[in-house]
Amino acid sequence: MFSTKNNKILLTSFLILLLSPIALSSSIHDLLKARGLPAGLLPKEVKSYALYENGTLEVELQGPCFTKYENRVFFESVFRANLSYGSLTGVEGLSQEELFIWLPVKDIIVDDPTSGLILFDIVVAHKELSLSLFEDPPDCKPQGMCQVSTF
Ligand SMILES: *[C@@H]1O[C@H](CO)[C@@H](O)[C@H](O)[C@H]1NC(C)=O
Ligand SMILES: *[C@@H]1O[C@H](CO)[C@@H](O)[C@H](O)[C@H]1NC(C)=O
């Protein structure tokens, strides 16, 4: 039979195994970086994510929320896209405000990291934004930021 000490070791290993998926789920930002995309494309408030074999990335946020890169953007509580190296295509769950209109973002592409640019395809327009806007995961707030940022 196992001694108490061995049982403790077993229990500890079991707990580590049990907890590791949680540790992994906090590394969506590392996954983005590993795929040639800036970590700041997704906010800090990520609850969990899954990457399926067909390339579909599904990210669950703590709730629908607003944040800002160049313009304001709105994340729905679930963000979905086809993840491949340097791009997120067929994006669902992200909109960007353009001239007071909210438009769905369809594709996000980093063709050439040395250009320092990231392309946002928002159906009616292609926007090239500075990659530097996306270095760090932003805070994403449930309310619109227009009320929050004016003092
Ligand atoms: C990829 O697989 C996931 C999980 O099985 C599924 O939910 C999703 O619809 C699939 N995506 C496509 C585009 O087939
Ligand atoms: C995802 O992107 C890859 C590479 O562009 C493509 O081959 C694949 O068909 C796409 N998958 C879906 C489900 O759109």
Side-chain angles (χ1 to χ4, degrees):
M1 278 308 291
F2 292 117
S3 69
T4 316
K5 193 176 162 210
N6 278 336
N7 277 341
K8 267 188 192 152
I9 293 170
L10 270 181
L11 184 67
T12 311
S13 327
F14 177 69
L15 280 178
I16 290 170
L17 277 177
L18 201 70
L19 290 174
S20 49
I22 298 170
L24 279 177
S25 70
S26 67
S27 69
I28 176 69
H29 302 105
D30 293 330
L31 173 66
L32 289 174
K33 282 194 275 182
R35 299 302 176 91
L37 292 164
L41 266 183
L42 286 166
K44 294 192 187 103
E45 291 77 2
V46 169
K47 205 152 86 180
S48 66
Y49 76 91
L51 179 60
Y52 298 107
E53 276 180 31
N54 59 14
T56 296
L57 173 69
E58 197 169 87
V59 180
E60 195 186 348
L61 302 183
Q62 282 162 19
C65 61
F66 293 89
T67 189
K68 186 174 176 173
Y69 298 113
E70 184 187 54
N71 293 2
R72 285 204 299 161
V73 301
F74 175 69
F75 281 96
E76 286 164 35
S77 50
V78 177
F79 171 97
R80 247 184 237 103
N82 183 11
L83 175 65
S84 34
Y85 194 86
S87 76
L88 286 164
T89 53
V91 174
E92 290 169 32
L94 176 63
S95 316
Q96 171 156 307
E97 192 180 34
E98 292 294 331
L99 303 172
F100 313 106
I101 298 169
W102 289 93
L103 296 169
V105 175
K106 283 291 156 205
D107 301 314
I108 299 171
I109 298 165
V110 179
D111 265 333
D112 175 10
T114 61
S115 70
L117 294 173
I118 183 165
L119 180 81
F120 264 54
D121 183 350
I122 51 169
V123 190
V124 294
H126 295 280
K127 299 210 45 163
E128 285 190 320
L129 305 177
S130 170
L131 267 173
S132 62
L133 292 167
F134 299 88
E135 265 162 30
D136 300 311
D139 289 309
C140 197
K141 303 271 188 314
Q143 304 89 16
M145 295 201 308
C146 43
Q147 297 97 329
V148 178
S149 59
T150 47
F151 293 104

